[in-house]
Every structure is written in structure tokens, then in C-alpha cells.
Amino acid sequence: MPRLRQGRALAEGEDRRASALRGDAAALLVALAVTLVAFGGVASNEFLNWDDRAALVDNPALDGEGVLGWAFTTTHMSHYQPLSWLAWALARRWFGAGATVHHVLSLALHLVNVVLVFVLGHRLASAAGLAAEPRRVAALAASLSFAVHPLRVEPVAWASGLPYVLALAPLLASTLLYLRHAAGSPSPVALGFSIFFYGLSLLSRAFSPALAFVLLALDFSLGRVQRGGWTRLGIEKLPYAALAVVATMAEGGARRFAPLERVGVSERASEAALAPFVYILRTLWPLGLSPLDPLSLERGQYLPSLLVGVALLIVVSAAVWRWRREHPWLLVGWLAYLLLLGPALGLLPSGLQATADRYTYLPGVTLALGIGGGAARLWADRPRRRGWAIVGVALAAVLVGLTLRQVRFWKDSVTLWTHALALDARNDVALYNLAHALAEKGDAAGAETQYRRLLELVPDHELGRRNLALLEAARFEREGNDRAAAGRLPEAIELYGRALERDAARLHSRRSRGMALAQLGRYADAIPDLREAARAPDAEPVVAGALAFVLAESGRSGEAADVLRDALGRHPGDPRLSRALAELERRPPE
């Protein structure tokens, strides 16, 4: 009988484990399905005029034979990210270079990260002593709040955001392997693979140089400090620290940091102090998310912002330290969040942005795990469990709806920057990028309007002024062509002149003005334009013929003959040029 009861207990235990595994698998499938619903639209998104062209479209190195060596030596785009370059190169060779391939790659990696966040949430809930059902709730809530939050849209829906998505997968794998090493008896194999995957994450991009300290915080929560002491645990983290130092040096050598005269010390300090709370606020209230939160155009008083940020950091840090014994995971989460966010706090700004949604992709995992832990705690409230489940489903539905909407904003450049300007009409970068995108789409009038708005905001924006001049020159040239075709030559000449005032290198306008002046008998005025147009490598024979004609009519037959001989050298056998030269040579000397 005892053996029978023991066998029955073992069978029941196996059944419970199998049931728990089936429940976990079903929860994970739900998380993946919801993620696909929220992000499925990214596959139809286009490349954007925001790094995509320089990184992916006009980058022949990705398709070259020496891409492996190039990836590990280049600092293209001011980053060191060899595995990201290789991921792009392999995807292009296997599936093509279109935008869809790049977006599907980003989405596939995001799904991998969702799986890993689910497993990590489950593992941490188990380490915290939760039962099977609360562990599942914690893992599902963590993975969903990470996966379908609108803050995830930027790195997933933007083709150039791949390094953020790619770096997270091996980082999560490294953390999971470390937990396997740390949770029970030490496993040198698991530790070695953890270090290896951390290296892969850093090679994707060095977003997590402080992982060694995060792992030390995990040691504290797991009770390893009491068992082994800080010294032994610190030595164990040396390989992580060494990899981080090397990766940080490589990334620092590639980056172009903003000089102090562009972004001062006070601005950097205030941005760094407030950034953690800005991102928490966006996590809780993910509305009005812009693709670019630009650095201020005007220097302001940053002391109040700095004081508020420092005060908040002190208050929150003091609170989690006070509760470290009752709630050790709260301290671990807060430290991990700050450490993972550290490289993007703004102390060493390199781009145009003060904050960016993509910077939350790694530290957002810690917030999601915190949400998962909170959900598991609420699930323990049995009388209100159904109500909390309804609230959770409603919140997930809201996040999915907001993410679907946010994904549409990233569909193409015009849509993206129009949205950015709707949020901030003084966003100079958005104005420039929208103008450029409209010009590429063929909406020259719309592009001119945006460039004028840009110059009102930033009068010394030289690139904007130059591009506006080119658009205006093209418009005046088109109008001149219309007037010339209608026989209104004086008006055409004036319009060609206005085009050349804005773009002196516009040979079509110069050629057309010279021809129109010749038709009106204004030979002396026509000669400079026709002479310059005739020098062009692709000049048509008719231009040389017209120049020779006006020179001859001006009494300069010798020069006219030289023009014709030179043109025949470039267009041998042209019948019109040959006849014109023959007629000139038959003329009696002047």
C-alpha cells in the first residue's frame, strides 16, 4: 500500500507538471499571437528618410564579398555593431533587399524577445517562491506589457532600429543562463555560455555595459551574497566587466558626441536626472509618442529641472532601499532599470534627440517584469481575481490599440514626420525630414512650404535653404518651359533667370535662356549662356549650332567655326553641324 500511494503521488505530480507546462505554453502562445496582431502591419512599412537610406539602401558594403571584415572594422553610422550589419547582410542575401525583409526580421527578433521575457518572468517568479499559476500570470503579464507597449514600436517598426532588438535577445539569454548558474549549485558551463551570449549582445550594440552590476543585484535578491560574499561574486563578474570595457571603448571610438558648446553641462545633467522618470511616465501614459524629441534650440534655465530630477532620484532610491528586506526585488528592479538606461541618459549625447522611445527597449524589460510581479500579487486576491483579470485584458486591449495606431505612423516618411509635427510644430528636424520626404514623393509645392517653415524657425539652416533654392529653381524652370512653349519668350527668359539665381549650375535653364535670347535677336546676351551650355559633357549638337549662329551673326565667324569644329569632334558626322561649318567656310573673309 505505501508503494501504491507513493506511485500514485508521483503520477499526480507528473500530471500537475504536465498540466502546468501546457498552461505555460498556452499563455506564451497568447502573448505571441497578441504581439503579431499588434505588429503585423510593420511588414508593409517603407524605408524611412531617417538613417534607413545611409544604413541600408545606399550601403553597397552590405552586398559586397568582404562584408564580414567590413562589419567588424567599420564605424559607419557612428556605431560599432558588427552583428547587426551581418544580420542585415544575411537577410538581404537570402530574402532580398526590400523594406519588407528588414521589417519582418525586426518583428521576428521581437517575437524571440517576447519568448525570452516570458521565460525570464517565469524564472524570477519561481525564484521568488510563487506557485505555478501565479508564475504563469507573472510571465504572461510581463511578456505582454513588454511586447505590445507603444514604446516598442520605434525599434521594431523602424528598419534601422534592428540593433536594439537584436542586442536584447542574447542579453536575455545571458541573464537566463546566469540565473541557472546562480539559482542552484554553481554551473561553470552555464556561466561560460552566459558570458558568451553577453558578448554577442555587445557586438550587436553596446547597450548594456552595466550588466555585471545588474547580476550583482540579482545575487543580492537570490541570497548569494550571504552564502558567498561580495568578493567572490565580484570576481565572478570580471569577465562581464572586461567585455563591457572593450565594447564601450569600441562604441565610444565610433560615436560622435555633441560638443559642450552645443549641449552644455547643465542641459546634460538635467536630461540625465529626469530621463528615468520621463520614460516611466511614457510607460504609464503612452500617448503623444514622437519619433524625435529634439534637443532644445534655445538655451534655457535647467536648474529647476535638475533639482526636480535629483530629488526624485533620491526619494525613489531611498524608498526602495528602505524596503529592501521586505521587497528585495523592488530594489533589484530599480537598480537594473537605472543601470540599463544609463548609456541613454544624455550625459554623452551624440544625436539630435533628448529622449527616444527606442532607448526603453532594454530597460523596459525591468519595468515589464515589475508589472508581471504586481499582476501575480493581484492574482493572489481570490475574491477579486475575476475583476483583476477583466482589468488586465482591458489594459492589454488598450495597449494593442495604441500600438496598432503607432505602427501606422511609421508606415512612410511623410506620415511619420507629419505626425511628429502634429505633436510639436517647432520640431526643426521633423520639418526638414518632412520637406525632404515630400520632395522625394514629387510634392514640390508641399516641400517648399515645409522648408519655408523651417527657415522661419531656424534662419541659419543652410541645408534647408539650399534645398529650398533648388526646389524653387526647378519650379521657375518648369514655368519658363511652359512660357517658351507658348511663345512668350520674354517671360520665359525672366523665369529662367530666376531659376539661375537660385541654382547657377542649372544647365537646362541656361541653355533654354540662351536659345530664347537668340530667337529674340539678343545675340550678345545669348552668347554667355550658350557658351557655358555648350561646354557641358552631354551638350546636344543644337546648342553648339545655336552658339555658332549667334557668334557668326555678331561678326565673329572665326569663333563660330572653332565652336563647330569642336562640336564635330564630340559629334562626328552630325549633318547639321557639318553643313553649318561648310557654309561658314564658304563665306568671304570679314
Side-chain angles (χ1 to χ4, degrees), residues 50 289-295 297 352-353 355 416-435 450 453-454 457-458 461:
W50 186 236
L289 301 178
S290 175
L292 179 70
D293 174 22
L295 293 166
L297 294 172
L352 302 169
Q353 64 284 332
T355 59
L416 181 69
W417 300 116
T418 300
H419 170 62
L421 287 171
L423 298 172
D424 179 10
R426 291 177 56 81
N427 189 327
D428 59 313
V429 179
L431 278 168
Y432 177 82
N433 287 342
L434 177 59
Q450 300 306 325
R453 288 179 59 193
L454 171 64
L457 184 63
V458 190
H461 199 296

Side-chain angles (χ1 to χ4, degrees), residues 412-498:
D412 57 55
S413 299
V414 172
T415 305
L416 181 69
W417 300 116
T418 300
H419 170 62
L421 287 171
L423 298 172
D424 179 10
R426 291 177 56 81
N427 189 327
D428 59 313
V429 179
L431 278 168
Y432 177 82
N433 287 342
L434 177 59
H436 191 268
L438 289 169
E440 286 188 330
K441 293 284 187 181
D443 184 0
E448 285 189 37
T449 299
Q450 300 306 325
Y451 278 129
R452 291 193 184 96
R453 288 179 59 193
L454 171 64
L455 292 173
E456 289 175 5
L457 184 63
V458 190
D460 60 347
H461 199 296
E462 291 302 323
L463 194 55
R465 188 173 299 281
R466 172 61 178 162
N467 289 348
L468 175 61
L470 292 175
L471 287 171
E472 289 178 335
R475 174 164 54 84
F476 287 135
E477 183 176 275
R478 289 193 301 272
E479 294 174 0
N481 292 339
D482 293 340
R483 301 297 194 282
R488 297 155 63 179
L489 295 183
E491 295 177 32
I493 290 169
E494 180 186 355
L495 288 166
Y496 289 135
R498 295 172 72 180

Side-chain angles (χ1 to χ4, degrees), residues 306-352:
L306 176 60
L307 292 176
V308 170
V310 170
L312 286 172
L313 282 171
I314 292 173
V315 169
V316 175
S317 299
V320 298
W321 180 257
R322 167 67 180 79
W323 298 328
R324 68 188 184 281
R325 299 191 187 280
E326 300 89 340
H327 306 287
W329 291 104
L330 190 61
L331 175 61
V332 173
W334 177 242
L335 288 175
Y337 173 67
L338 293 180
L339 290 168
L340 292 175
L341 188 59
L345 285 178
L347 289 173
L348 293 172
S350 62
L352 302 169

